[in-house]
Amino acid sequence: MTFEYKRILVAVDGSKSSERAFEKAVAIAKRNDAKLILSHVVDTKSFATVDAYDRTLADRSEVYANSLLEDYKHKAKAVGINDVEVNIEYGSPKIKIPKDVAKSFNADLIICGATGLNAVERFLIGSVSENITRYANCDVLVVRKEETK
């Protein structure tokens, strides 16, 4: 029995590990003729110390997210993936990706990059990829950084 993924969600944030996650997502989507959902969650905890009326940081984050996702969408379409959708959310990526975004798109695979947190940070706050694997209702592929040769 073979299993094919039909709705692949890739979480991107502009980091090197999310770039590698995107590359793997594109390869898997092509192989499975799947829909590719590109998602970026604007982490609102970074706005916690900003005056509620100062929308500058939020606006810049949204502009960045749109630019990032449109760039990835263009790259995916350039290699032959026709069904590509972009998604921007606000909140905590570790909660939004597995509990909201994946469910709303009925994703059967989530792909994300491994984070660069050290052991203490992981213990105190937990990594995004760790939380996605814990709370997702579908398969999750965590892409590690490229091996140095």
Side-chain angles (χ1 to χ4, degrees):
M1 180 171 100
T2 60
F3 184 80
E4 291 183 352
Y5 295 108
K6 290 297 172 193
R7 290 165 309 282
I8 299 169
L9 169 63
V10 60
V12 294
D13 62 7
S15 67
K16 287 286 187 200
S17 66
S18 79
E19 173 79 24
R20 290 202 18 91
F22 168 75
E23 291 166 0
K24 290 236 179 170
V26 164
I28 295 168
K30 277 189 76 164
R31 200 166 49 238
N32 289 274
D33 193 27
K35 175 183 186 114
L36 185 62
I37 302 109
L38 306 168
S39 185
H40 177 82
V41 178
V42 177
D43 194 345
T44 53
K45 80 172 181 247
S46 61
F47 306 147
T49 59
V50 178
D51 186 336
Y53 297 104
D54 182 9
R55 294 256 327 141
T56 307
L57 188 58
D59 291 344
R60 277 187 285 156
S61 295
E62 188 169 344
V63 167
Y64 173 76
N66 278 309
S67 174
L68 179 72
L69 294 176
E70 285 304 315
D71 182 51
Y72 280 136
K73 181 178 182 178
H74 176 74
K75 288 177 180 176
K77 287 190 171 268
V79 296
I81 299 175
N82 298 316
D83 196 358
V84 182
E85 191 165 342
V86 298
N87 170 262
I88 298 174
E89 297 285 334
Y90 294 86
S92 168
K94 58 175 76 173
I95 305 289
K96 284 292 210 183
I97 296 290
K99 293 193 173 192
D100 297 336
V101 181
K103 286 182 182 175
S104 69
F105 286 97
N106 198 22
D108 47 23
L109 176 64
I110 301 171
I111 302 177
C112 61
T115 63
L117 295 178
N118 65 38
V120 174
E121 290 169 320
R122 278 194 305 275
F123 175 74
L124 293 174
I125 61 174
S127 73
V128 172
S129 57
E130 180 183 358
N131 276 272
I132 290 172
T133 56
R134 182 178 299 136
Y135 296 111
N137 289 326
C138 62
D139 291 348
V140 177
L141 172 61
V142 178
V143 179
R144 302 275 172 211
K145 67 181 180 183
E146 191 170 14
E147 298 279 329
T148 54
K149 295 182 180 171

